[in-house]
Amino acid sequence: MTVAALLGLLSCRPAREEALMDRLQTLSSMAELGTVEYKVKKIIKADDAVWYKYGDRKILFSCTAYLKAGIDMREFSESDVTVDNAGGITVTLPKAKLLTFNMPADEIRQELSIVNGLRFDFTPEEKQQLLAQGQQAIADEVAGMGILDDAEANARHLFTALLAQLGYENITINFR
């Protein structure tokens, strides 16, 4: 046997580790691993009654936002995987985050507008500003909705199933 062939045999990883690295490389090449999607309905209202102006001015919008959360696999590397001699494996994934936020214009409806007295209607710019505030309010409420917890739980299930399929029994999935 030649020296090159011997070195090649010594440097080979076991087949299971090779398959593991292939699968993890495939997942990390996806950039984003979306594990949960929420559909959120929101009511946005404004009432700018002020004492120095005569009349009321109120507006109410209903809108739908689509949120996708998951793991940014660009932050994942081979060093985040530890395999022990007893056949156990530990994978440390990046914390889940909001990957996409979409509030389609065709799902925004002005439900109510009351303008009376000496008041002017809401301008398009004011309406846009109110919708932007509503969008920010939804984004601020993401942590309280549990979407990030659900995304991590789904990622944990996905990676556990993947690793079990490769023959690993003691599987630990952590998030940093």
Side-chain angles (χ1 to χ4, degrees):
M1 185 179 284
T2 66
V3 175
L6 184 60
L7 285 175
L9 285 174
L10 292 175
S11 66
C12 285
R13 292 183 181 166
R16 183 168 69 167
E17 282 189 41
E18 230 11 87
L20 169 67
M21 290 307 154
D22 286 346
R23 294 253 175 101
L24 292 176
Q25 196 169 26
T26 300
L27 285 172
S28 63
S29 70
M30 292 178 4
E32 293 178 343
L33 179 63
T35 58
V36 68
E37 186 173 65
Y38 274 37
K39 178 180 178 179
V40 178
K41 296 217 177 245
K42 179 84 173 166
I43 299 295
I44 303 166
K45 61 182 179 175
D47 180 359
D48 75 343
V50 289
W51 64 272
Y52 57 87
K53 293 185 179 181
Y54 177 73
D56 287 330
R57 190 168 85 136
K58 301 176 183 182
I59 195 164
L60 182 78
F61 292 98
S62 66
C63 60
T64 303
Y66 297 90
L67 313 173
K68 183 171 72 171
I71 307 299
D72 185 350
M73 294 301 290
R74 291 174 290 217
E75 298 172 15
F76 179 78
S77 70
E78 198 172 308
S79 64
D80 294 324
V81 179
T82 307
V83 179
D84 64 31
N85 293 336
I89 186 167
T90 300
V91 177
T92 303
L93 296 170
K95 293 229 40 89
K97 64 182 181 181
L98 192 61
L99 300 174
T100 62
F101 185 107
N102 183 22
M103 198 162 79
D106 63 335
E107 294 191 42
I108 298 172
R109 289 176 184 56
Q110 182 176 320
E111 303 291 346
L112 175 73
S113 179
I114 298 173
V115 180
N116 59 36
L118 300 173
R119 304 297 304 271
F120 291 102
D121 200 4
F122 286 88
T123 65
E125 292 80 19
E126 289 173 315
K127 291 177 182 179
Q128 277 303 115
Q129 185 179 16
L130 289 169
L131 291 171
Q133 289 172 359
Q135 187 173 4
Q136 185 60 48
I138 294 170
D140 292 344
E141 295 168 3
V142 164
M145 289 182 210
I147 187 172
L148 300 178
D149 294 334
D150 289 348
E152 286 183 1
N154 289 346
R156 180 174 279 117
H157 292 307
L158 173 77
F159 275 84
T160 300
L162 172 99
L163 296 169
Q165 203 175 49
L166 292 172
Y168 291 97
E169 294 177 13
N170 298 329
I171 301 167
T172 305
I173 309 294
N174 298 318
F175 295 90
R176 58 177 131 83

